[in-house]
Amino acid sequence: MNRRVFLYGLPTAALSAYGYARFLEPRWLEETQKNVATGRKLRRPLRIAHISDLHAAAIVPISFLESAFRRVLAMKPDLVCITGDFVTTDNDFDKPKYESALQMLSAKVPTFAVMGNHDGGVWAAQSGWLPNNNYIRELVTRGGAQVLHNDAAKIEIDGMPLWMVGVGDWWSEELRARFAFEKVSNDGAPVIVMNHNPDGKEDCDPFRWDVMLCGHTHGGQVMIPFYGPPIVPVIDTRYAVGLNPYKDRWIHTTRGVGNIIGIRVNCRPELSLLLVS
Ligand SMILES: [Fe+2]
């Protein structure tokens, strides 16, 4: 290789790669659609939009989240599930603007949510952030979403009954499955459980559920070709990303919408539509 081409080419390539990872891929939303067969007798598949890890911050502006919400609405979901990490730190976002953005979504489609480790609690407090999730729960509730914090709700979609369950975050030491599933009866209706961190699945194991929705991993966020992600913040990496069987059930872990370090490589932000039958 010509020495001059090498000297000038290498920094240009490095800059281009950085520009792509920093400014293009983190905003390059991918819409995915997956069939989830539960074996329950449903008249038609339920259209569940699953998004997660919005991480509103200076590097993930509310305007980007609004564009993501508009695309979620265009998927024509029956309901929307948001599985935690609404923010990254305690003060890097505009609360009223965030509430309005969430209202735009929840005004059109029933929206349910759980809290993640960044939303406040034992883990977040270690970084000097929110010591509990009251502030973010209030923000999300004012945004019109129903926060299920170790709680359940029975709903009806087009005449079809469905249980929605939400558990507290595992890293925040707030996962109380016994309380979350207390109301869920043995009525044959499908059970969807929202659980931020897939490592909390064993805590939910003794209870009745069909599909678990998780986030937390960001799909690895940086996927090195032929190697994979250098860091995945879970113990059981089998459930780090995608739709995977768990015994006779399903776990769906989405790559999330936002990010925490401002870059994504080979791991685009994701808006998922699950067709649950
Ligand atoms: Fe996250």
Side-chain angles (χ1 to χ4, degrees), residues 7 15 32 42-43 46 58 69-70 91 93 99 107 114 135 142 164 173 187 193 201-203 219 240 259 265 277:
L7 281 177
L15 262 177
T32 59
L42 294 168
R43 210 167 63 267
L46 298 167
F69 295 162
R70 277 193 288 274
N91 61 5
F93 55 93
E99 288 171 1
V114 288
Y135 187 66
R142 287 167 67 107
M164 295 300 303
E173 299 173 16
D187 57 4
V193 55
K201 63 188 180 303
E202 278 85 7
D203 291 36
N259 64 78
V265 179
S277 59

Side-chain angles (χ1 to χ4, degrees), residues 53 55 85 118 196 216 218:
D53 297 81
H55 282 286
D85 276 4
H118 281 265
H196 178 66
H216 183 61
H218 306 183

Side-chain angles (χ1 to χ4, degrees), residues 50 52-53 83 193-199 212-216 239 251-255:
H50 177 203
S52 194
D53 297 81
T83 48
V193 55
M194 296 179 292
N195 165 33
H196 178 66
N197 183 335
D199 277 342
M212 178 176 279
L213 307 180
C214 306
H216 183 61
Y239 299 94
I251 295 179
H252 182 249
T253 310
T254 176
R255 299 194 298 266

Side-chain angles (χ1 to χ4, degrees), residues 233-250:
V234 283
I235 297 165
D236 189 349
T237 53
R238 293 174 303 168
Y239 299 94
V241 68
L243 182 65
N244 296 289
Y246 175 71
K247 301 181 180 176
D248 58 344
R249 305 154 170 185
W250 292 101

